[in-house]
Amino acid sequence: TQLLEQSPQFLSIQEGENLTVYCNSSSVFSSLQWYRQEPGEGPVLLVTVVTGGEVKKLKRLTFQFGDARKDSSLHITAAQPGDTGLYLCAGADYGNNRLAFGKGNQVVVIP
Amino acid sequence: NAGVTQTPKFQVLKTGQSMTLQCAQDMNHEYMSWYRQDPGMGLRLIHYSVGAGITDQGEVPNGYNVSRSTTEDFPLRLLSAAPSQTSVYFCASSLTGTSSYEQYFGPGTRLTVT
């Protein structure tokens, strides 16, 4: 089983602040995805990163895939209350029809 | 498109009872999967299917059965419910043949076993 470690588990910040959360593994992935989950709902895909070193931006969210394809980070600029949620990273293995999920980063943005 | 639908939304079972969690998708996705989500444990894969008639076990398959008779439907059966199966269950689907396996999740079924 491939393990994805997400840190920090819980993060509470004030509106307008910046934050970064991390997803790390000892395994190499063919791609890595980030999902956001709100209470009572299923996860929703935010982004997929495929190439080592790749950086993708989604409005105020910046996603980076590590050069070695083992880790990723999510940076939120000027966080807003609507960014509150559980952020999950998931790694896809070469030739394996499975996604391995981390336990998530719970982010709370206080107005 | 309705996407991925799950029924029921909530369910309470007594220990030893059996039931089926329903999952359907209308996106013509070949790949479907079931996860359970528990506090502090993240999402864990129970079973998955790469197409009609083909299923395989995930990380935590014990106590659950699946079948895939059509592309659209992927029901999850609890054979004899146990309190350890109290969890939130998510069904997901995605296109097969893509390297990224991006998944579309249903809204979940919250199951309590007493």
Side-chain angles (χ1 to χ4, degrees):
Chain A
T1 301
Q2 297 164 303
L3 291 177
L4 281 159
E5 302 280 345
Q6 293 191 244
S7 62
Q9 279 188 301
F10 181 83
L11 184 59
S12 177
I13 61 170
Q14 295 289 332
E15 182 176 0
E17 292 182 338
N18 300 333
L19 69 95
T20 303
V21 294
Y22 302 91
C23 173
N24 296 299
S25 176
S26 58
S27 301
V28 176
F29 295 102
S30 60
S31 65
L32 198 140
Q33 298 155 34
W34 284 92
Y35 294 80
R36 181 166 65 210
Q37 184 179 21
E38 299 190 15
E41 299 181 7
V44 176
L45 180 69
L46 294 174
V47 77
T48 300
V49 284
V50 179
T51 306
E54 182 177 4
V55 176
K56 279 194 173 178
K57 292 192 175 184
L58 186 66
K59 296 184 180 178
R60 294 174 294 99
L61 277 61
T62 301
F63 304 85
Q64 184 160 9
F65 199 14
D67 290 340
R69 311 165 72 98
K70 293 182 179 181
D71 53 79
S72 181
S73 63
L74 160 59
H75 180 80
I76 301 179
T77 303
Q80 298 178 0
D83 296 324
T84 293
L86 179 67
Y87 290 84
L88 295 161
C89 67
D93 191 13
Y94 290 101
N96 184 332
N97 290 310
R98 302 184 182 193
L99 276 180
F101 279 85
K103 294 180 181 180
N105 308 103
Q106 180 65 56
V107 172
V108 176
V109 182
I110 302 167
Chain B
N1 286 353
V4 179
T5 57
Q6 291 183 240
T7 56
K9 183 76 171 173
F10 301 95
Q11 182 70 49
V12 178
L13 290 178
K14 295 186 187 300
T15 297
Q17 287 184 318
S18 63
M19 79 158 293
T20 299
L21 279 63
Q22 301 292 343
C23 174
Q25 53 90 10
D26 61 359
M27 298 175 283
N28 203 31
H29 285 172
E30 290 295 323
Y31 183 95
M32 296 185 74
S33 54
W34 277 101
Y35 293 87
R36 59 178 289 173
Q37 187 174 36
D38 303 292
M41 298 297 292
L43 282 165
R44 293 183 291 171
L45 182 65
I46 305 172
H47 285 285
Y48 65 97
S49 168
V50 298
I54 306 169
T55 63
D56 205 348
Q57 296 182 350
E59 183 184 354
V60 289
N62 292 342
Y64 308 95
N65 271 359
V66 291
S67 60
R68 185 94 179 270
S69 57
T70 67
T71 298
E72 295 77 19
D73 301 296
F74 191 43
L76 178 72
R77 298 184 193 83
L78 279 69
L79 308 173
S80 178
S84 61
Q85 293 179 305
T86 293
S87 187
V88 181
Y89 291 85
F90 289 100
C91 179
S93 73
S94 66
L95 288 170
T96 301
T98 62
S99 61
S100 56
Y101 302 109
E102 303 166 39
Q103 307 234 10
Y104 297 82
F105 285 84
T109 294
R110 184 174 294 274
L111 176 67
T112 302
V113 183
T114 62

